[in-house]
Amino acid sequence: MIIRKINPQGYCNGVKRALNIVSNALEDKNVKRPIYLLGQIIHNKHVVKDFIDKGAIVVEDKTKSRLELLDSINEGTVIFSAHGVSPLVYKKAKEKGLNIIDATCGYVLIVHKKIEDYLNKGFDVIYIGTKNHPEVEGVLGISNKIHFISNLEQIKNLNITNDKIYCTNQTTLSQYDIIDIFNLLKKKYPNILIDDKICDATTVRQKAMKEQEKADLCIVVGDSASSNTKKLYKVSSELAGIKTILCEDLKSLDKNELKNVKTVNISSGASTPDYIVDEIINYLISID
Ligand code: SF4
Protein backbone atom coordinates (compact mmCIF):
# COMPACT_ATOMS: atom_id res chain seq x y z
CA MET A 1 0.00 0.00 0.00
CA ILE A 2 1.29 3.48 -0.86
CA ILE A 3 0.72 5.83 2.09
CA ARG A 4 1.10 9.57 1.57
CA LYS A 5 0.97 12.16 4.34
CA ILE A 6 -0.56 15.40 3.10
CA ASN A 7 1.38 18.47 4.18
CA PRO A 8 0.80 20.68 6.04
CA GLN A 9 -1.47 18.98 8.56
CA GLY A 10 -1.84 18.64 12.31
CA TYR A 11 -1.41 21.23 15.03
CA CYS A 12 -1.59 24.88 13.97
CA ASN A 13 0.25 27.58 15.90
CA GLY A 14 -2.90 28.66 17.75
CA VAL A 15 -3.46 25.15 19.06
CA LYS A 16 0.22 24.68 19.99
CA ARG A 17 0.11 27.91 21.94
CA ALA A 18 -3.10 26.97 23.78
CA LEU A 19 -1.72 23.57 24.73
CA ASN A 20 1.53 25.11 26.01
CA ILE A 21 -0.45 27.57 28.10
CA VAL A 22 -2.42 24.77 29.77
CA SER A 23 0.65 22.57 30.27
CA ASN A 24 2.60 25.43 31.84
CA ALA A 25 -0.30 26.32 34.16
CA LEU A 26 -0.63 22.70 35.32
CA GLU A 27 3.10 22.51 36.04
CA ASP A 28 3.33 25.90 37.77
CA LYS A 29 2.70 25.49 41.52
CA ASN A 30 2.04 29.25 41.82
CA VAL A 31 -1.05 29.11 39.60
CA LYS A 32 -4.20 29.16 41.76
CA ARG A 33 -5.94 25.80 42.10
CA PRO A 34 -8.26 24.30 41.03
CA ILE A 35 -7.53 24.89 37.35
CA TYR A 36 -10.66 24.81 35.21
CA LEU A 37 -10.85 24.57 31.42
CA LEU A 38 -13.96 26.38 30.22
CA GLY A 39 -15.13 23.95 27.54
CA GLN A 40 -12.69 21.77 25.60
CA ILE A 41 -9.42 23.69 25.27
CA ILE A 42 -9.24 22.39 21.70
CA HIS A 43 -11.56 19.97 19.95
CA ASN A 44 -9.74 16.75 20.70
CA LYS A 45 -10.89 14.29 23.36
CA HIS A 46 -7.47 12.62 23.69
CA VAL A 47 -5.72 15.90 24.47
CA VAL A 48 -8.44 16.97 26.90
CA LYS A 49 -8.28 13.61 28.72
CA ASP A 50 -4.53 14.01 29.10
CA PHE A 51 -5.04 17.37 30.83
CA ILE A 52 -7.74 15.88 33.09
CA ASP A 53 -5.25 13.17 34.11
CA LYS A 54 -2.79 15.93 35.01
CA GLY A 55 -5.31 17.66 37.30
CA ALA A 56 -7.35 20.03 35.11
CA ILE A 57 -11.12 20.16 35.59
CA VAL A 58 -13.11 20.49 32.37
CA VAL A 59 -16.40 22.34 32.68
CA GLU A 60 -18.53 21.36 29.74
CA ASP A 61 -22.20 20.98 28.94
CA LYS A 62 -23.32 21.25 25.31
CA THR A 63 -26.67 22.74 26.41
CA LYS A 64 -24.97 25.67 28.16
CA SER A 65 -23.09 28.73 26.95
CA ARG A 66 -19.62 29.61 28.28
CA LEU A 67 -21.33 32.35 30.30
CA GLU A 68 -23.64 29.83 31.97
CA LEU A 69 -20.81 27.34 32.51
CA LEU A 70 -19.00 29.97 34.58
CA ASP A 71 -21.77 29.68 37.21
CA SER A 72 -20.21 26.45 38.42
CA ILE A 73 -16.72 27.93 38.89
CA ASN A 74 -16.25 29.88 42.11
CA GLU A 75 -12.54 29.69 42.88
CA GLY A 76 -9.10 29.14 41.42
CA THR A 77 -8.12 29.59 37.79
CA VAL A 78 -10.19 29.50 34.62
CA ILE A 79 -8.55 28.95 31.23
CA PHE A 80 -10.34 30.17 28.10
CA SER A 81 -9.94 28.00 25.02
CA ALA A 82 -8.28 28.82 21.68
CA HIS A 83 -11.77 29.56 20.29
CA GLY A 84 -12.09 32.69 22.44
CA VAL A 85 -14.87 33.97 24.70
CA SER A 86 -17.19 36.95 24.61
CA PRO A 87 -16.40 40.10 26.63
CA LEU A 88 -19.30 39.14 28.95
CA VAL A 89 -17.56 35.89 29.92
CA TYR A 90 -14.35 37.78 30.60
CA LYS A 91 -16.19 40.32 32.75
CA LYS A 92 -18.09 37.68 34.73
CA ALA A 93 -14.91 35.70 35.46
CA LYS A 94 -13.25 38.88 36.68
CA GLU A 95 -16.20 39.80 38.88
CA LYS A 96 -16.09 36.33 40.42
CA GLY A 97 -12.45 36.96 41.39
CA LEU A 98 -11.14 34.10 39.26
CA ASN A 99 -7.58 34.00 38.03
CA ILE A 100 -7.99 34.24 34.22
CA ILE A 101 -5.64 32.61 31.73
CA ASP A 102 -6.62 33.40 28.15
CA ALA A 103 -5.51 30.92 25.46
CA THR A 104 -7.56 32.58 22.68
CA CYS A 105 -5.82 32.34 19.31
CA GLY A 106 -4.49 35.63 17.93
CA TYR A 107 -6.50 35.22 14.73
CA VAL A 108 -9.73 35.06 16.73
CA LEU A 109 -8.75 38.11 18.80
CA ILE A 110 -8.24 40.11 15.59
CA VAL A 111 -11.79 39.24 14.48
CA HIS A 112 -13.19 40.38 17.86
CA LYS A 113 -11.29 43.65 17.65
CA LYS A 114 -12.35 44.37 14.06
CA ILE A 115 -16.03 43.73 14.82
CA GLU A 116 -15.91 45.99 17.87
CA ASP A 117 -14.22 48.74 15.84
CA TYR A 118 -16.75 48.60 13.01
CA LEU A 119 -19.73 48.53 15.38
CA ASN A 120 -18.30 51.62 17.09
CA LYS A 121 -17.98 53.34 13.69
CA GLY A 122 -21.72 52.82 13.09
CA PHE A 123 -21.50 49.85 10.71
CA ASP A 124 -23.94 46.96 10.66
CA VAL A 125 -21.90 43.78 11.02
CA ILE A 126 -22.63 40.48 9.26
CA TYR A 127 -20.79 37.46 10.69
CA ILE A 128 -20.63 34.10 8.89
CA GLY A 129 -20.07 30.99 10.99
CA THR A 130 -21.31 27.63 12.22
CA LYS A 131 -24.20 27.68 14.68
CA ASN A 132 -23.28 26.73 18.25
CA HIS A 133 -19.52 26.60 17.60
CA PRO A 134 -17.62 28.12 20.58
CA GLU A 135 -15.75 30.61 18.38
CA VAL A 136 -19.10 31.84 17.03
CA GLU A 137 -20.58 32.01 20.54
CA GLY A 138 -17.66 34.21 21.60
CA VAL A 139 -18.09 36.58 18.66
CA LEU A 140 -21.89 36.86 18.91
CA GLY A 141 -21.49 37.75 22.59
CA ILE A 142 -19.77 41.00 21.55
CA SER A 143 -23.10 42.56 20.59
CA ASN A 144 -26.67 41.45 20.02
CA LYS A 145 -26.72 43.69 16.92
CA ILE A 146 -24.49 41.36 14.87
CA HIS A 147 -26.32 39.72 11.96
CA PHE A 148 -25.37 36.06 12.02
CA ILE A 149 -25.66 33.79 8.98
CA SER A 150 -24.46 30.22 8.34
CA ASN A 151 -25.34 29.73 4.68
CA LEU A 152 -26.42 31.29 1.38
CA GLU A 153 -30.11 30.72 2.12
CA GLN A 154 -30.08 33.01 5.14
CA ILE A 155 -28.92 36.02 3.10
CA LYS A 156 -32.48 36.60 1.90
CA ASN A 157 -33.58 37.14 5.53
CA LEU A 158 -31.17 40.05 6.00
CA ASN A 159 -32.91 43.43 6.04
CA ILE A 160 -30.16 45.98 6.50
CA THR A 161 -30.84 49.59 5.54
CA ASN A 162 -27.51 51.01 6.76
CA ASP A 163 -25.14 52.00 3.91
CA LYS A 164 -22.18 50.96 6.02
CA ILE A 165 -21.94 47.17 6.31
CA TYR A 166 -18.93 45.16 7.46
CA CYS A 167 -18.81 41.39 6.91
CA THR A 168 -16.39 38.89 8.39
CA ASN A 169 -16.32 35.23 9.36
CA GLN A 170 -15.30 32.30 11.57
CA THR A 171 -11.61 31.48 11.07
CA THR A 172 -12.05 27.81 10.17
CA LEU A 173 -14.70 27.91 7.44
CA SER A 174 -14.09 26.52 3.95
CA GLN A 175 -12.41 29.09 1.71
CA TYR A 176 -14.17 27.42 -1.23
CA ASP A 177 -17.71 27.67 0.22
CA ILE A 178 -17.44 31.18 1.58
CA ILE A 179 -16.77 32.73 -1.84
CA ASP A 180 -20.39 32.09 -2.89
CA ILE A 181 -21.67 33.72 0.30
CA PHE A 182 -19.42 36.76 -0.21
CA ASN A 183 -20.52 37.10 -3.85
CA LEU A 184 -24.23 36.95 -3.03
CA LEU A 185 -23.78 39.48 -0.22
CA LYS A 186 -21.94 41.81 -2.65
CA LYS A 187 -24.83 41.48 -5.06
CA LYS A 188 -27.38 42.36 -2.39
CA TYR A 189 -25.26 45.08 -0.74
CA PRO A 190 -22.84 46.55 -3.35
CA ASN A 191 -21.12 48.80 -0.76
CA ILE A 192 -20.43 45.98 1.71
CA LEU A 193 -16.91 45.75 3.15
CA ILE A 194 -15.89 42.09 3.02
CA ASP A 195 -13.06 41.04 5.34
CA ASP A 196 -12.22 37.35 4.84
CA LYS A 197 -10.74 36.11 8.11
CA ILE A 198 -10.18 32.43 7.40
CA CYS A 199 -6.84 31.89 9.13
CA ASP A 200 -3.60 31.00 7.32
CA ALA A 201 -3.42 27.54 8.90
CA THR A 202 -6.92 26.69 7.64
CA THR A 203 -6.20 28.13 4.18
CA VAL A 204 -2.98 26.18 3.53
CA ARG A 205 -4.40 22.91 4.88
CA GLN A 206 -7.52 23.17 2.69
CA LYS A 207 -5.39 24.03 -0.36
CA ALA A 208 -3.19 20.97 0.25
CA MET A 209 -6.33 18.82 0.47
CA LYS A 210 -7.71 20.20 -2.79
CA GLU A 211 -4.41 19.62 -4.59
CA GLN A 212 -3.64 16.16 -3.15
CA GLU A 213 -2.55 13.42 -5.56
CA LYS A 214 -5.17 10.93 -6.69
CA ALA A 215 -5.64 8.01 -4.31
CA ASP A 216 -8.10 5.20 -3.64
CA LEU A 217 -8.87 6.65 -0.24
CA CYS A 218 -8.15 9.72 1.86
CA ILE A 219 -8.30 9.44 5.66
CA VAL A 220 -8.90 12.64 7.63
CA VAL A 221 -8.04 12.23 11.30
CA GLY A 222 -9.71 14.52 13.80
CA ASP A 223 -12.43 15.05 16.34
CA SER A 224 -16.03 15.06 15.12
CA ALA A 225 -16.53 18.41 16.89
CA SER A 226 -13.59 20.05 15.10
CA SER A 227 -14.73 22.60 12.51
CA ASN A 228 -11.48 22.66 10.53
CA THR A 229 -11.36 18.83 10.42
CA LYS A 230 -14.87 18.63 8.96
CA LYS A 231 -13.93 21.21 6.33
CA LEU A 232 -10.84 19.18 5.30
CA TYR A 233 -13.12 16.18 4.83
CA LYS A 234 -15.48 18.23 2.66
CA VAL A 235 -12.71 19.67 0.47
CA SER A 236 -11.20 16.23 -0.06
CA SER A 237 -14.44 14.48 -0.94
CA GLU A 238 -16.17 17.24 -2.89
CA LEU A 239 -13.36 19.24 -4.50
CA ALA A 240 -10.51 16.74 -4.81
CA GLY A 241 -13.10 14.10 -5.74
CA ILE A 242 -11.45 11.38 -3.65
CA LYS A 243 -13.32 8.89 -1.51
CA THR A 244 -12.70 10.23 1.99
CA ILE A 245 -13.39 8.96 5.48
CA LEU A 246 -13.22 10.73 8.80
CA CYS A 247 -11.98 9.04 11.96
CA GLU A 248 -11.01 10.23 15.43
CA ASP A 249 -8.31 7.61 16.04
CA LEU A 250 -7.20 4.09 15.13
CA LYS A 251 -10.01 2.55 17.16
CA SER A 252 -12.69 4.42 15.22
CA LEU A 253 -11.10 3.77 11.80
CA ASP A 254 -13.54 1.66 9.76
CA LYS A 255 -11.21 -1.17 8.65
CA ASN A 256 -13.74 -2.33 6.01
CA GLU A 257 -12.99 0.84 4.06
CA LEU A 258 -9.41 -0.36 3.53
CA LYS A 259 -10.35 -3.36 1.40
CA ASN A 260 -8.74 -3.19 -2.06
CA VAL A 261 -7.12 0.15 -1.23
CA LYS A 262 -3.70 0.43 -2.84
CA THR A 263 -3.03 4.14 -2.38
CA VAL A 264 -4.07 6.14 0.67
CA ASN A 265 -3.59 9.81 1.50
CA ILE A 266 -3.80 10.89 5.13
CA SER A 267 -4.36 14.28 6.71
CA SER A 268 -5.46 15.60 10.09
CA GLY A 269 -7.21 18.57 11.65
CA ALA A 270 -5.42 21.45 13.36
CA SER A 271 -6.27 19.97 16.77
CA THR A 272 -5.12 16.39 16.11
CA PRO A 273 -1.91 15.22 17.84
CA ASP A 274 0.74 13.65 15.55
CA TYR A 275 0.85 10.43 17.56
CA ILE A 276 -2.76 9.60 16.61
CA VAL A 277 -1.91 9.94 12.91
CA ASP A 278 1.28 7.90 13.43
CA GLU A 279 -0.71 5.08 15.06
CA ILE A 280 -2.95 4.90 12.00
CA ILE A 281 0.01 4.98 9.60
CA ASN A 282 1.74 2.19 11.55
CA TYR A 283 -1.45 0.15 11.39
CA LEU A 284 -1.68 0.65 7.60
CA ILE A 285 1.94 -0.47 7.25
CA SER A 286 1.25 -3.52 9.43
CA ILE A 287 -1.64 -4.79 7.30
CA ASP A 288 0.17 -4.26 4.01
S1 SF4 B 1 -7.23 26.98 13.27
FE1 SF4 B 1 -6.54 29.08 12.90
S2 SF4 B 1 -7.82 30.34 14.23
FE2 SF4 B 1 -8.02 28.24 14.98
S3 SF4 B 1 -6.46 28.04 16.56
FE3 SF4 B 1 -5.51 27.37 14.63
S4 SF4 B 1 -4.48 29.22 13.81
FE4 SF4 B 1 -5.97 29.87 15.38
Short mmCIF file of all heavy atoms in Angstrom, two decimals, residues 12-15 82 105 107-108 135 171-172 199 201-202 228 270, ligand 1:
data_model
loop_
_atom_site.label_atom_id
_atom_site.label_comp_id
_atom_site.label_asym_id
_atom_site.label_seq_id
_atom_site.Cartn_x
_atom_site.Cartn_y
_atom_site.Cartn_z
N CYS A 12 -1.91 23.53 14.45
CA CYS A 12 -1.59 24.88 13.97
C CYS A 12 -0.94 25.63 15.13
O CYS A 12 -0.94 25.15 16.26
CB CYS A 12 -2.88 25.59 13.53
SG CYS A 12 -4.05 25.75 14.91
N ASN A 13 -0.43 26.83 14.84
CA ASN A 13 0.25 27.58 15.90
C ASN A 13 -0.68 27.97 17.04
O ASN A 13 -0.28 27.99 18.20
CB ASN A 13 0.89 28.84 15.31
CG ASN A 13 2.11 28.48 14.50
OD1 ASN A 13 2.70 27.41 14.69
ND2 ASN A 13 2.49 29.35 13.58
N GLY A 14 -1.95 28.27 16.71
CA GLY A 14 -2.90 28.66 17.75
C GLY A 14 -3.16 27.53 18.73
O GLY A 14 -3.27 27.74 19.94
N VAL A 15 -3.24 26.32 18.20
CA VAL A 15 -3.46 25.15 19.06
C VAL A 15 -2.21 24.86 19.89
O VAL A 15 -2.30 24.62 21.10
CB VAL A 15 -3.85 23.93 18.19
CG1 VAL A 15 -3.71 22.62 18.96
CG2 VAL A 15 -5.29 24.09 17.70
N ALA A 82 -8.79 28.16 22.89
CA ALA A 82 -8.28 28.82 21.68
C ALA A 82 -9.40 29.47 20.86
O ALA A 82 -9.15 30.40 20.10
CB ALA A 82 -7.56 27.79 20.81
N CYS A 105 -6.74 32.18 20.44
CA CYS A 105 -5.82 32.34 19.31
C CYS A 105 -5.81 33.79 18.82
O CYS A 105 -6.86 34.45 18.78
CB CYS A 105 -6.25 31.42 18.17
SG CYS A 105 -5.25 31.65 16.68
N TYR A 107 -5.62 34.99 15.89
CA TYR A 107 -6.50 35.22 14.73
C TYR A 107 -7.93 35.54 15.19
O TYR A 107 -8.60 36.38 14.60
CB TYR A 107 -6.56 33.98 13.83
CG TYR A 107 -5.38 33.82 12.92
CD1 TYR A 107 -4.37 32.91 13.20
CD2 TYR A 107 -5.27 34.58 11.75
CE1 TYR A 107 -3.27 32.76 12.35
CE2 TYR A 107 -4.19 34.44 10.90
CZ TYR A 107 -3.20 33.52 11.20
OH TYR A 107 -2.13 33.38 10.36
N VAL A 108 -8.37 34.84 16.23
CA VAL A 108 -9.73 35.06 16.73
C VAL A 108 -9.81 36.44 17.41
O VAL A 108 -10.80 37.18 17.23
CB VAL A 108 -10.13 33.94 17.72
CG1 VAL A 108 -11.52 34.18 18.29
CG2 VAL A 108 -10.05 32.58 17.04
N GLU A 135 -16.31 29.36 18.92
CA GLU A 135 -15.75 30.61 18.38
C GLU A 135 -16.88 31.58 18.01
O GLU A 135 -16.79 32.79 18.26
CB GLU A 135 -14.89 30.30 17.14
CG GLU A 135 -14.21 31.54 16.56
CD GLU A 135 -13.35 31.23 15.34
OE1 GLU A 135 -12.77 30.13 15.28
OE2 GLU A 135 -13.27 32.10 14.46
N THR A 171 -12.95 31.69 11.65
CA THR A 171 -11.61 31.48 11.07
C THR A 171 -11.41 30.14 10.38
O THR A 171 -10.47 29.97 9.61
CB THR A 171 -10.55 31.59 12.18
OG1 THR A 171 -10.89 30.66 13.21
CG2 THR A 171 -10.46 32.98 12.74
N THR A 172 -12.30 29.17 10.68
CA THR A 172 -12.05 27.81 10.17
C THR A 172 -13.06 27.35 9.12
O THR A 172 -13.23 26.15 8.90
CB THR A 172 -12.02 26.79 11.33
OG1 THR A 172 -13.20 26.99 12.11
CG2 THR A 172 -10.80 26.95 12.20
N CYS A 199 -8.24 31.74 8.71
CA CYS A 199 -6.84 31.89 9.13
C CYS A 199 -5.89 31.18 8.17
O CYS A 199 -6.29 30.31 7.39
CB CYS A 199 -6.66 31.37 10.55
SG CYS A 199 -6.69 29.59 10.67
N ALA A 201 -3.56 28.99 8.69
CA ALA A 201 -3.42 27.54 8.90
C ALA A 201 -4.55 26.79 8.19
O ALA A 201 -4.32 25.76 7.54
CB ALA A 201 -3.45 27.23 10.40
N THR A 202 -5.76 27.32 8.30
CA THR A 202 -6.92 26.69 7.64
C THR A 202 -6.76 26.76 6.12
O THR A 202 -6.97 25.77 5.41
CB THR A 202 -8.22 27.41 8.08
OG1 THR A 202 -8.35 27.27 9.48
CG2 THR A 202 -9.43 26.85 7.38
N ASN A 228 -12.45 22.69 11.64
CA ASN A 228 -11.48 22.66 10.53
C ASN A 228 -11.31 21.23 9.98
O ASN A 228 -11.08 21.04 8.80
CB ASN A 228 -10.16 23.31 10.95
CG ASN A 228 -9.35 22.45 11.88
OD1 ASN A 228 -8.67 21.54 11.44
ND2 ASN A 228 -9.42 22.72 13.18
N ALA A 270 -6.38 20.60 12.64
CA ALA A 270 -5.42 21.45 13.36
C ALA A 270 -5.38 21.15 14.85
O ALA A 270 -4.54 21.70 15.58
CB ALA A 270 -5.75 22.92 13.12
S1 SF4 B 1 -7.23 26.98 13.27
FE1 SF4 B 1 -6.54 29.08 12.90
S2 SF4 B 1 -7.82 30.34 14.23
FE2 SF4 B 1 -8.02 28.24 14.98
S3 SF4 B 1 -6.46 28.04 16.56
FE3 SF4 B 1 -5.51 27.37 14.63
S4 SF4 B 1 -4.48 29.22 13.81
FE4 SF4 B 1 -5.97 29.87 15.38
#
